[in-house]
Amino acid sequence: MAEITAALVKELREKSGAGMMDCKRALTENNGDIEAAIDWLRAKGIAKADKKSGRTAAEGLIGIASAGTKAVVIEINSETDFVARNDAFQDIVRGVAGVALGTDGSVEAISAANYPATGKSVNETITDAIATIGENMNLRRATLLSVEDGVVATYIHNAVADGLGKLGVLVALKSTGDKEALTTIGRQVAMHIAATNPLAIRSEEVDAGVAERERNVFIEQSRASGKPDNIIEKMVEGRMRKFFEEVALLSQAFVMNPEVTVGAAVKEAEKTVGAPIEVVGMARLLLGEGVEKEVTDFAAEVAAVAKG
């Protein structure tokens, strides 16, 4: 058996574009023969898949799976919306969301978890699907919420299939009350979150850095008025109160009834639920959020091909 050195693995990685572990396995299977290892990777579809992994994947689907007191929302990206409408891709997103319910909700744990339909890990299953479907795909984000007593309500905006869409929301409500009524108010709050994208549940939970940046902007704007410092301070405090009202979930005007805040609507729902309700968690994933998409000049691409 030939010694599989780090240098040998590195050489195969550079030639094939495959991952380190796949390269090591390929070399081990082929007694250190680089060319045979490349053929082995190609036969497995791994080299082909990894070459696609450099392409931007900003489309795809958000998937949600729930089980009463627990729910998870995940984002799996693809390169095109066409593939996102593919039944095989949708099955993968739905399956990975189901697997994610049995983990701690981190991308690392989900990727390493067993995917029952293939008997492989989620990560290996996605890699195999890249070779089969022909596009780069990746599990980008995931959030799991749970409560000891209560519900985790879910909402998918513009669902393309059951539990699948482009925007997914979870809301964890702690309560000993009626679970059906609790789910109803939870779904309404989830729809509100989908529409308004609050930064935090309560004003005191807004990120300190974000609040400080807003305060500094307000200070500069107020100084331009030429008013005295004591007046500027009052102006800034007033603007900060309004800022917190607008970005904190419970103080926002409820989209279902703008006459009341979300907090007031939840309080009112306690009469139907039959017990106090506490909003203890939320998650909102919008497909492709924060991904810089590649812009392709199709005409230039065709011209380049024509020139050889």
Side-chain angles (χ1 to χ4, degrees):
M1 173 68 74
E3 182 183 2
I4 310 303
T5 64
L8 202 58
V9 173
K10 182 174 182 291
E11 182 181 351
L12 178 57
R13 178 174 170 76
E14 289 172 350
K15 287 186 174 182
S16 68
M20 296 290 283
M21 294 307 296
D22 287 326
C23 287
K24 185 176 181 180
R25 186 170 60 184
L27 288 164
T28 301
E29 290 288 333
N30 294 279
N31 199 31
D33 185 324
I34 287 279
E35 296 306 318
I38 290 174
D39 290 341
W40 186 89
L41 287 167
R42 289 179 62 195
K44 297 289 185 182
I46 296 172
K48 180 182 176 183
D50 281 332
K51 285 178 182 177
K52 290 183 173 66
S53 67
R55 303 207 298 246
T56 301
E59 297 294 340
L61 286 171
I62 300 295
I64 283 180
S66 63
T69 58
K70 181 191 296 187
V72 66
V73 57
I74 67 168
E75 177 181 4
I76 295 186
N77 295 131
S78 62
E79 292 179 52
T80 66
D81 183 58
F82 177 78
V83 164
R85 288 181 268 127
N86 180 295
D87 287 342
F89 180 78
Q90 292 184 5
D91 286 343
I92 288 173
V93 178
R94 192 178 290 109
V96 172
V99 169
L101 269 179
T103 71
D104 64 7
S106 68
V107 169
E108 294 76 17
I110 298 169
S111 296
N114 180 63
Y115 191 84
T118 63
K120 300 180 179 180
S121 70
V122 165
N123 186 58
E124 289 172 323
T125 299
I126 291 175
T127 298
D128 289 346
I130 293 173
T132 302
I133 294 175
E135 277 197 12
N136 183 27
M137 293 181 282
N138 66 81
L139 171 63
R140 181 179 174 229
R141 295 184 292 172
T143 301
L144 184 144
L145 297 181
S146 64
V147 290
E148 288 188 8
D149 195 359
V151 302
V152 179
T154 67
Y155 173 65
I156 285 279
H157 185 64
N158 288 340
V160 299
D162 188 33
L164 304 175
K166 300 299 178 78
L167 171 61
V169 178
L170 308 180
V171 181
L173 302 178
K174 181 181 177 181
S175 179
T176 59
D178 180 77
K179 300 304 182 283
E180 186 175 342
L182 196 60
T183 299
T184 298
I185 183 62
R187 179 174 170 78
Q188 291 175 350
V189 173
M191 293 172 73
H192 171 96
I193 292 170
T196 65
N197 192 21
L199 298 182
I201 296 173
R202 299 164 186 83
S203 59
E204 61 269 24
E205 296 168 0
V206 174
D207 181 83
V210 172
E212 186 61 25
R213 284 194 296 273
E214 289 297 317
R215 180 180 293 277
N216 290 335
V217 169
F218 292 152
I219 289 172
E220 291 303 313
Q221 290 175 342
S222 300
R223 280 178 179 163
S225 69
K227 289 182 169 42
D229 286 349
N230 62 324
I231 299 299
I232 288 175
E233 186 177 343
K234 290 180 181 178
M235 291 171 64
V236 170
E237 290 307 314
R239 290 189 179 187
M240 286 302 296
R241 280 195 297 272
K242 184 171 180 56
F243 166 73
F244 285 125
E245 286 176 4
E246 291 175 346
V247 302
L249 172 66
L250 297 181
S251 59
Q252 290 180 329
F254 193 28
V255 293
M256 302 292 177
N257 178 10
E259 297 298 316
V260 299
T261 64
V262 173
V266 171
K267 187 70 178 175
E268 180 65 22
E270 291 179 352
K271 298 176 183 177
T272 306
V273 171
I277 304 170
E278 182 183 0
V279 182
V280 294
M282 67 175 183
R284 179 185 186 272
L285 294 190
L286 174 64
L287 181 68
E289 192 172 39
V291 176
E292 187 174 342
K293 297 185 182 181
E294 293 177 347
V295 178
T296 302
D297 186 336
F298 186 68
E301 196 173 276
V302 172
V305 171
K307 289 177 183 178

